[in-house]
Amino acid sequence: MTLMSKQPSIELALHSADRKPIQKGLADYHWQFASFAVAFGIWTSVNLWTWFHSSSLNAVSAFVAIAWTLPIGTSVIGLYGAWRAYWTLQPMRRRFGEAVLPVSERLIVVIPTIGRLDTLPALRRVVESVRESLRPHFPRLSIDLVVEDMCPAQAQINALASGTPELRILTVPVSFETYHGTRFKARANCFADLQRTLRGEACPDVWVLHMDDDTGLAPDTASEVARFIHDQNARGSEALDLAQGILCYPRELAPNRLIWLADAVRPGCDISLFSALTGSGSPRAGLHGEMLLIRASVEAEIGWDYGPRTLVEDADFALRFCARHPGRSGWIPARSFGASPATVSDFVRQRARWVWGLLALVADHERPGVPGVDRRRRALMLHNTIVWACSPLCHPGFVLLLCTVTGTFETAPLSAVLIPLWTTNIAFWIWLYWEGLKLNALSSAHARRVWWEPVLLVLLMPVYSTWEVVGVLHGVWSFLFAPEPRFNVIAKPV
């Protein structure tokens, strides 16, 4: 078996005659806490043994005491979110298979694309997935493809609309500029938002579902989105205005199986950190730009015009939403299908852009004339970003280097009180990958983990953490020294 072989497209997985279509939904996902408990027990034993057998405490021990305790706030929030996701999924299992009435409200799916020829196959897959999944539940469905004028694949993208009545091509003129000079994906969102306003679609009874040009929909997503909108109609003045789902990565979209395993952390974060905060009403830890449902009137009110240095427009939008509509967001048990990066270089560049953009956001860095977000709203994201930016200092490789330089290899905790904090952090990190792998496998044509996948995942976690650290270092360096931000669009697997 080749770990790094090319995989067939998700279209083949869904429609090929010699394969079963993907029928496994989130109702088949069995949330478990065993991986956390096992990891917690093992690392508690190791740390206790180290603490009892330590001969002295030193500067390295003091440094490690701070570095390895730093993520505890994030871990506690994530564990609360995991518990919350568990109870959110229970009613979904009970109602599995129940019919959902079609939604009378209009649903507009927005898909920005860079319009390169290499991204075109993925874009076709996404459009077909969105159309087939949503049309039965949303009679008033529109799919807006937002493309730059004169993009390389413009003719092919225009041809997509000929056989798809729901599809609308929004071509962004080269001359289009926002008031604050916003660029990149946020500029495309600004243009789409402006077009909805001009059409009279920026209304409370219109919903906008944001997707990426490599992110399709799971078969059970449409019913959960429809159920969410029905629920808001019944809530009256207490209705929510925003919801976030889960981003999963099927094997079929993974050119490199090793990188696919590394991206197991992302659905793990969706059912923990995002479940905790977005699901509790205020997305203070940010959002991601796919599987993001927003009421059109609220999106028009907040907008996307955050200035030319904006790299993480979804996180910026999240903070502004918290300020204007506190308590109005929700978390829905609905999946979208994304594609993991094709190369380690793409993986690192993707993480670097996130770190660069988040640091600029929490610092409100160099955005003259753009109204910022007050420090209180940025506090939690600032904490999480600092923890992420400091992750290179927490890496065992750095600690080993520090021990080599100082000539001491004593890293025992300064106090036994730190042991449960350290083990909580490491056990939560392992749980993120473990449960994320289960979700990614469930979203694949072969909806089970292959026996060697969890084994290899655990063995390679030090490697994956190193990749993450390299991305963080690259992002921090770019934030401090790069003259201009770069929005790197990685390759889109078919």
Side-chain angles (χ1 to χ4, degrees):
M1 182 176 293
T2 304
L3 298 181
M4 301 176 66
S5 60
K6 283 276 186 181
Q7 302 296 319
S9 74
I10 194 69
E11 286 178 325
L12 294 179
L14 286 168
H15 305 299
S16 174
D18 60 351
R19 285 179 178 265
K20 281 189 172 182
I22 297 176
Q23 296 176 344
K24 295 286 187 180
L26 279 178
D28 299 292
Y29 167 60
H30 298 288
W31 185 102
Q32 291 179 336
F33 209 59
S35 57
F36 179 89
V38 171
F40 188 90
I42 291 174
W43 285 102
T44 297
S45 301
V46 170
N47 282 319
L48 281 173
W49 185 92
T50 304
W51 186 71
F52 279 119
H53 290 82
S54 61
S55 58
S56 63
L57 299 177
N58 50 67
V60 175
S61 296
F63 170 81
V64 169
I66 297 172
W68 289 356
T69 307
L70 190 62
I72 189 61
T74 302
S75 299
V76 170
I77 292 171
L79 290 171
Y80 163 71
W83 174 83
R84 194 181 183 286
Y86 172 81
W87 290 107
T88 303
L89 289 168
Q90 296 310 305
M92 183 184 184
R93 294 192 181 95
R94 291 193 294 270
R95 66 177 180 252
F96 181 69
E98 292 181 1
V100 182
L101 291 175
V103 175
S104 59
E105 284 84 351
R106 186 178 190 84
L107 179 67
I108 301 174
V109 182
V110 176
I111 309 174
T113 178
I114 195 172
R116 292 194 317 235
L117 292 174
D118 65 315
T119 66
L120 189 62
L123 179 63
R124 289 195 180 109
R125 164 178 56 80
V126 169
V127 170
E128 184 66 17
S129 165
V130 168
R131 182 171 174 265
E132 289 190 356
S133 299
L134 294 175
R135 189 166 54 173
H137 293 83
F138 296 92
R140 300 175 62 196
L141 172 68
S142 297
I143 305 172
D144 288 352
L145 285 187
V146 189
V147 301
E148 189 73 24
D149 192 17
M150 305 300 292
C151 66
Q154 186 168 22
Q156 293 88 335
I157 290 173
N158 289 337
L160 282 176
S162 59
T164 310
E166 301 90 348
L167 192 61
R168 306 186 298 193
I169 308 297
L170 305 184
T171 303
V172 185
V174 177
S175 59
F176 175 71
E177 294 183 3
T178 70
Y179 183 77
H180 295 300
T182 296
R183 299 184 292 168
F184 313 128
K185 183 180 175 181
R187 174 174 171 269
N189 284 344
C190 285
F191 185 78
D193 187 31
L194 174 63
Q195 296 305 303
R196 286 194 298 274
T197 301
L198 294 175
R199 289 189 177 117
E201 296 172 342
C203 307
D205 62 346
V206 176
W207 290 85
V208 180
L209 179 63
H210 287 270
M211 302 292 290
D212 275 352
D213 60 356
D214 64 340
T215 309
L217 292 179
D220 57 348
T221 296
S223 59
E224 291 303 319
V225 173
R227 186 175 281 110
F228 174 84
I229 294 176
H230 283 311
D231 289 346
Q232 305 324 304
N233 292 337
R235 294 183 65 168
S237 61
E238 300 298 318
L240 304 179
D241 298 314
L242 178 150
Q244 181 86 77
I246 306 170
L247 176 59
C248 295
Y249 297 93
R251 292 186 192 89
E252 291 74 32
L253 301 183
N256 188 312
R257 191 69 65 86
L258 298 181
I259 299 176
W260 176 73
L261 289 172
D263 251 349
V265 69
R266 296 190 67 188
C269 287
D270 282 340
I271 61 168
S272 55
L273 295 169
F274 287 108
S275 168
L277 298 163
T278 306
S280 296
S282 296
R284 292 188 179 90
L287 297 162
H288 49 71
E290 51 273 289
M291 200 56 239
L292 176 59
L293 184 67
I294 311 171
R295 199 182 295 272
S297 56
V298 171
E299 182 171 343
E301 173 199 341
I302 297 174
W304 299 92
D305 192 8
Y306 311 138
R309 297 187 65 83
T310 300
L311 289 175
V312 285
E313 69 290 331
D314 40 17
D316 212 325
F317 185 93
L319 292 183
R320 294 166 194 273
F321 180 88
C322 291
R324 298 191 187 193
H325 300 272
R328 297 286 186 167
S329 70
W331 184 86
I332 52 178
R335 295 172 297 162
S336 59
F337 289 158
S340 55
T343 65
V344 176
S345 175
D346 282 347
F347 184 95
V348 169
R349 288 191 297 124
Q350 183 187 66
R351 267 56 176 181
R353 177 174 65 84
W354 295 344
V355 173
W356 187 354
L358 286 172
L359 287 171
L361 172 59
V362 298
D364 235 8
H365 183 57
E366 291 187 28
R367 300 198 299 178
V370 182
V373 181
D374 63 84
R375 288 185 176 87
R376 183 172 62 88
R377 303 289 180 189
R378 285 182 280 157
L380 181 59
M381 192 175 290
L382 175 62
H383 166 268
N384 292 345
T385 304
I386 289 175
V387 170
W388 199 9
C390 291
S391 61
L393 303 179
C394 307
H395 195 274
F398 179 81
V399 175
L400 183 61
L401 177 63
L402 192 63
C403 291
T404 303
V405 171
T406 60
T408 177
F409 289 85
E410 291 282 355
T411 58
L414 293 177
S415 168
V417 175
L418 294 178
I419 292 176
L421 304 182
W422 290 9
T423 52
T424 295
N425 289 334
I426 190 68
F428 175 65
W429 177 61
I430 291 171
W431 182 90
L432 282 179
Y433 278 93
W434 191 268
E435 292 299 308
L437 175 60
K438 288 167 61 177
L439 282 165
N440 284 345
L442 184 73
S443 302
S444 304
H446 176 68
R448 291 181 180 273
R449 290 175 295 178
V450 183
W451 69 267
W452 52 263
E453 288 175 345
V455 176
L456 195 60
L457 177 73
V458 173
L459 292 177
L460 289 179
M461 278 185 185
V463 176
Y464 297 151
S465 66
T466 302
W467 294 353
E468 297 277 359
V469 161
V470 173
V472 169
L473 290 172
H474 184 5
V476 171
W477 178 269
S478 299
F479 169 72
L480 294 174
F481 301 110
E484 285 293 327
R486 294 188 300 274
F487 195 101
N488 294 312
V489 179
I490 63 175
K492 311 290 185 179
V494 176

